[in-house]
Amino acid sequence: MYDLNAQFGAPGKIAFRDGIAGHPNVVLASKYGSCEISLYGANVISYRPVGTGPVLFLSKASRSEEGVPIRGGIPICWPWFGALPGHPELPRHGFARVSLWTVVETSYSGDETELVLGLKDSEATRKIWPYAFELKLVVKIGECLKLSLTTGNVNDKPIEFTQGFHPYFRIRDIEQVELAGVDGAKRKNFLKDTESVHEGMLSIDGEMDSLFYPPKNGCTIHDNGLRRKTTVAFHGTRTIVVWNPWIEKAKRTADLLDEEYHQFLCVEPVCSVATPVSLPPKKTTTFSMSIQTLID
Ligand code: TA6
């Protein structure tokens, strides 16, 4: 830990400390607020702008174990989102969220503090996904929280993958929130296997697991309980998954307390769930998201 603070730390801006699954966490601070990132999974486990409470949810039952994803924060789903077709034996949402990322660099200015994390292929990853790759995640905290995920194809042939940010947004109560930005959006309901066009605001009154094609590259969670709104903007995709497990699925989820479904809503920018990204040799592609919480 001392070495990381000596090499990458900055008093009052960037600090490393003991974290999840026995690996370091990094705390980033700017004049607008702070966030904390686990090197395990490159998961932004907390974000707290000045003047508001925690923006992200972390389950009290989340297990701090190698190989087990963190239940909450912002899991990085890569190189596949959901299940990998034809491979039910492989972990959902890929292996990036259960891998140990390395610190590439840190920096700060008057307004923003930035962390760059990296992940490359290994013997373990090549066993389940037989390609070389270079991943880079940039986390930037300023007036909003920005994440950008860059995939580098270091092979001499194209690679195909899907990806997503899977943020757990903390709310006062699931029955007191509405999602704006999906009015007129095509919707694929994964639970009923139906397609429709959504009209108006989206409220949650049961298990929700749907893909939406919002007309603009952003949507806003209005939390009437906490009287705040969280805007999620996304670039490099125009699709989001909205998920809440509700009562029964929460009970079946080992690393979630039965009543915790009340306290979060997942609004997940996802990239090419229907048709994978095809990245030519030696090229890179970047997919990004920004989050801003304001009093509503
Ligand atoms: O949020 C979409 C989703 O694919 C849901 O179907 C649900 O499985 C959720 O992700 C959580 O997945 P996890 O593997 O983290 O339990």
Side-chain angles (χ1 to χ4, degrees), residues 21 39 51 57 59 73 107 139 141 153 182 193 228 232 235 246 254 280:
L39 293 191
F57 166 85
S59 169
S107 62
V139 181
I141 182 167
N153 179 1
V182 289
D193 195 20
R228 69 184 192 183
V232 186
H235 303 282
W246 209 251

Side-chain angles (χ1 to χ4, degrees), residues 4 23 31 35 42 59 78 85 98 131 138 181 186-187 189 235-236 251:
L4 283 171
H23 299 295
K31 66 182 180 183
C35 65
S59 169
W78 191 96
V98 290
Y131 305 101
V138 179
K186 194 173 80 172
R187 172 182 180 178
N189 185 325
H235 303 282
K251 285 179 182 170

Side-chain angles (χ1 to χ4, degrees), residues 71 81-82 92-93 97 166 168 209 241 243 249 266 268:
R71 178 64 66 187
F81 181 89
R92 284 177 66 81
H93 295 320
R97 68 171 180 169
H166 196 302
Y168 286 70
D209 193 355
V241 168
W243 179 63
K249 181 142 190 188
C266 292
E268 310 152 28

Side-chain angles (χ1 to χ4, degrees), residues 77-94 97 161-163 166 190 209 272-274 276:
C77 303
W78 191 96
W80 60 86
F81 181 89
L84 182 64
H87 291 278
E89 78 285 3
L90 293 179
R92 284 177 66 81
H93 295 320
R97 68 171 180 169
F161 59 97
T162 60
Q163 58 186 345
H166 196 302
F190 291 131
D209 193 355
S272 308
V273 174

Side-chain angles (χ1 to χ4, degrees), residues 1-281:
M1 202 67 63
Y2 172 77
D3 293 346
L4 283 171
N5 276 309
Q7 188 175 358
F8 296 108
K13 295 277 187 182
I14 304 157
F16 293 80
R17 66 180 188 165
D18 289 340
I20 290 176
H23 299 295
N25 287 356
V26 195
V27 179
L28 302 182
S30 77
K31 66 182 180 183
Y32 297 101
S34 65
C35 65
E36 185 161 0
I37 304 99
S38 166
L39 293 191
Y40 176 65
N43 186 320
V44 181
I45 56 173
S46 74
Y47 170 43
R48 193 170 192 139
V50 170
T52 72
V55 171
L56 298 172
F57 166 85
L58 193 60
S59 169
K60 291 184 175 62
S62 182
R63 298 189 9 231
S64 178
E65 288 170 36
E66 290 268 2
V68 179
I70 296 167
R71 178 64 66 187
I74 307 179
I76 304 290
C77 303
W78 191 96
W80 60 86
F81 181 89
L84 182 64
H87 291 278
E89 78 285 3
L90 293 179
R92 284 177 66 81
H93 295 320
F95 49 74
R97 68 171 180 169
V98 290
S99 296
L100 179 58
W101 292 56
T102 57
V103 181
V104 175
E105 67 178 293
T106 56
S107 62
Y108 63 91
S109 67
D111 288 352
E112 287 186 330
T113 302
E114 179 178 303
L115 168 72
V116 182
L117 297 179
L119 183 68
K120 292 182 180 176
D121 58 288
S122 64
E123 189 180 334
T125 66
R126 288 190 297 271
K127 275 185 188 158
I128 53 177
W129 197 66
Y131 305 101
F133 64 87
E134 287 182 2
L135 268 189
K136 182 174 79 167
L137 179 71
V138 179
V139 181
K140 199 179 289 186
I141 182 167
E143 280 193 80
C144 59
L145 178 69
K146 296 175 190 167
L147 277 69
S148 63
L149 183 65
T150 298
T151 299
N153 179 1
V154 296
N155 303 280
D156 55 11
K157 57 186 178 184
I159 56 172
E160 289 197 348
F161 59 97
T162 60
Q163 58 186 345
F165 294 117
H166 196 302
Y168 286 70
F169 293 104
R170 175 180 289 278
I171 52 179
R172 164 63 65 83
D173 187 281
I174 189 66
E175 298 185 64
Q176 297 180 4
V177 298
E178 291 181 300
L179 183 69
V182 289
D183 183 27
K186 194 173 80 172
R187 172 182 180 178
K188 178 169 178 53
N189 185 325
F190 291 131
L191 300 173
K192 297 177 181 172
D193 195 20
T194 55
E195 293 194 359
S196 60
V197 174
H198 184 76
E199 293 183 3
M201 302 279 264
L202 177 73
S203 55
I204 315 289
D205 58 4
E207 185 177 354
M208 165 73 66
D209 193 355
S210 289
L211 182 73
F212 289 87
Y213 295 77
K216 295 184 178 166
N217 65 332
C219 52
T220 299
I221 302 169
H222 290 274
D223 184 337
N224 301 313
L226 292 176
R227 293 181 48 217
R228 69 184 192 183
K229 60 184 176 181
T230 295
T231 296
V232 186
F234 31 91
H235 303 282
T237 186
R238 187 55 73 79
T239 51
I240 58 170
V241 168
V242 179
W243 179 63
N244 181 278
W246 209 251
I247 300 167
E248 294 312 318
K249 181 142 190 188
K251 285 179 182 170
R252 298 196 304 271
T253 305
D255 54 358
L256 199 59
L257 299 180
D258 289 356
E259 294 306 309
E260 284 185 319
Y261 75 93
H262 285 279
Q263 297 166 16
F264 70 87
L265 178 65
C266 292
V267 178
E268 310 152 28
V270 294
C271 204
S272 308
V273 174
T275 50
V277 176
S278 180
L279 186 59

